Amino acid sequence: MSLLVVGSVAFDSVKTPFGEVDEVLGGSATYFSTAASYFTNVSIVAVVGTDFPDKHLLFLKSRRIDIEGIEKKEGRTFRWKGEYGYELNEARTLDTQLNVFQAFKPKLPEKYKDKKVVFLANIDPDLQREVLQQVKEPALVACDTMNFWIGGKKGPLLETLKLVDILLINDGEARELSGEPNLVKAANIILSYGPKTLIIKRGEYGALMFSGKKVFAAPAYPLESVFDPTGAGDCFAGGFMGYLANTMNFQEANIRKAIIFGSVMASYNVEAFSLDRIKSLDYSEIEDRYMEFKKLTHFDDLG
Ligand code: AMP
């Protein structure tokens, strides 16, 4: 089954202790769809400016991503600038320019309206809802967000959360959204906003899933070289949703497998700047790392 995503398609300028890049291809929908494209067909809804080069669109097409829903509008493409310190876990946003996203009124191509699996990647929560409302009968809706929207558009974000099945956010965002420092308490508060399942991404410490009273913990892959964490969360979501859309099984046991596929895609992404590592993976590399995760967390029963 194919997957629909709305999110940012961007130019990113990023500085980490290991290097610096200027105006490279980025954006939540870009990372998400590239990661998900290893599992299923993906269709993007987004807007870019007239400064957006065709080579980036051709790259997305080369991953068999449907870009009919990417509008090109007069003006500048979304831009994000961030930097990371040595611990690499949290980006410090230096600049966000919404540009063409500011006046974006998404109008879904007819063939997008029948999509069953929808991901509302990190973007204005009002836009997330505008897209979701045009999908006729979604079977699974998941969503991401960030401090920029939690701080600036909390009301609209809470409206979006009423409509989603799964929310994926990082630990700092979970604390900010709930106003609660303890993550378990924060999870319970957030689940009361609407989502049935909450996945909290914790960078190099892995991910936690909360669903009703159930909790599942996945580690992050212990990597020797991490160059750029930008897009790790979106790649996690891409692997996670791509696998769920591929299998169309939303039971807890399958959600656990999806979390590992998400962790695999995030771990590959951070090995290089921009999409350099995940743009041309071999599916066998994904399977190999999935099995590494299994070995990493296996232990025997008592006695
Ligand atoms: P991640 O590192 O997975 O949280 O996502 C990083 C990506 O999110 C970058 O490629 C940015 O272009 C994009 N991004 C940053 N801020 C925003 C924002 N306020 N809205 C939408 N996308 C954003």
Side-chain angles (χ1 to χ4, degrees):
M1 196 58 84
S2 64
L3 178 54
L4 176 67
V5 57
V6 57
S8 54
V9 172
F11 286 128
D12 286 349
S13 297
V14 182
K15 191 173 174 186
T16 82
F18 313 106
E20 199 170 340
V21 284
D22 199 34
E23 305 232 318
V24 293
L25 177 62
S28 57
T30 314
Y31 280 107
F32 175 88
S33 56
T34 304
S37 69
Y38 289 91
F39 301 89
T40 191
N41 296 320
V42 193
S43 305
I44 302 191
V45 179
V47 61
V48 294
T50 34
D51 55 356
F52 197 74
D54 285 343
K55 69 171 185 198
H56 291 333
L57 294 172
L58 288 174
F59 159 68
L60 294 170
K61 265 178 125 167
S62 76
R63 293 281 338 137
R64 295 174 315 282
I65 295 165
D66 187 343
I67 58 165
E68 198 184 314
I70 302 185
E71 281 180 45
K72 203 171 227 189
K73 281 266 161 70
E74 197 57 51
R76 277 161 65 80
T77 298
F78 180 103
R79 277 166 169 77
W80 178 76
K81 193 173 187 177
E83 72 175 8
Y84 297 84
Y86 270 103
E87 83 313 320
L88 288 174
N89 250 357
E90 196 129 21
R92 198 161 73 83
T93 293
L94 302 174
D95 190 27
T96 303
Q97 295 174 18
L98 296 176
N99 296 335
V100 285
F101 264 103
Q102 212 137 21
F104 182 43
K105 288 270 158 249
K107 199 169 168 314
L108 263 54
E110 224 29 63
K111 65 178 182 190
Y112 281 25
K113 296 183 180 169
D114 292 319
K115 302 287 177 198
K116 293 286 173 245
V117 183
V118 180
F119 188 66
L120 311 171
N122 178 25
I123 197 67
D124 186 328
D126 283 323
L127 279 182
Q128 292 179 320
R129 246 176 306 112
E130 276 173 47
V131 166
L132 185 57
Q133 277 152 4
Q134 295 176 56
V135 182
K136 287 182 198 147
E137 261 182 278
L140 182 75
V141 181
C143 163
D144 186 7
T145 192
M146 74 180 290
N147 47 14
F148 187 84
W149 305 113
I150 298 170
K153 279 211 161 186
K154 182 140 183 209
L157 177 60
L158 291 177
E159 287 306 308
T160 298
L161 292 185
K162 288 181 190 161
L163 309 173
V164 313
D165 300 299
I166 305 177
L167 174 67
L168 299 102
I169 46 177
N170 70 33
D171 43 359
E173 290 154 0
R175 292 187 171 102
E176 190 176 341
L177 179 60
S178 61
E180 165 60 54
N182 176 285
L183 275 189
V184 180
K185 286 184 186 160
N188 287 328
I189 294 170
I190 293 169
L191 290 175
S192 77
Y193 297 157
K196 290 186 268 304
T197 301
L198 170 69
I199 296 173
I200 300 183
K201 300 163 287 176
R202 301 165 65 229
E204 64 176 319
Y205 308 112
L208 285 170
M209 179 200 75
F210 296 88
S211 192
K213 293 272 162 249
K214 293 188 189 129
V215 184
F216 172 65
Y221 190 72
L223 285 170
E224 211 174 297
S225 46
V226 177
F227 280 99
D228 175 16
T230 309
D234 307 309
C235 289
F236 179 100
F240 174 80
M241 291 298 284
Y243 181 72
L244 289 179
N246 176 292
T247 52
M248 288 306 277
N249 172 351
F250 311 139
Q251 302 292 317
E252 196 208 323
N254 208 48
I255 290 184
R256 288 180 180 226
K257 285 165 85 177
I259 288 174
I260 303 302
F261 277 112
S263 309
V264 166
M265 298 314 289
S267 74
Y268 275 122
N269 179 59
V270 301
E271 288 181 0
F273 278 99
S274 187
L275 292 110
D276 289 356
R277 184 70 178 101
I278 57 153
K279 67 182 177 198
S280 54
L281 278 172
D282 210 59
Y283 192 72
S284 64
E285 293 179 279
I286 295 174
E287 286 176 323
D288 287 351
R289 196 163 277 184
Y290 182 96
M291 293 317 292
E292 291 292 324
F293 266 91
K294 184 150 169 52
K295 279 193 234 151
L296 185 67
T297 50
H298 177 82
F299 52 88
D300 291 327
D301 284 341
L302 282 178

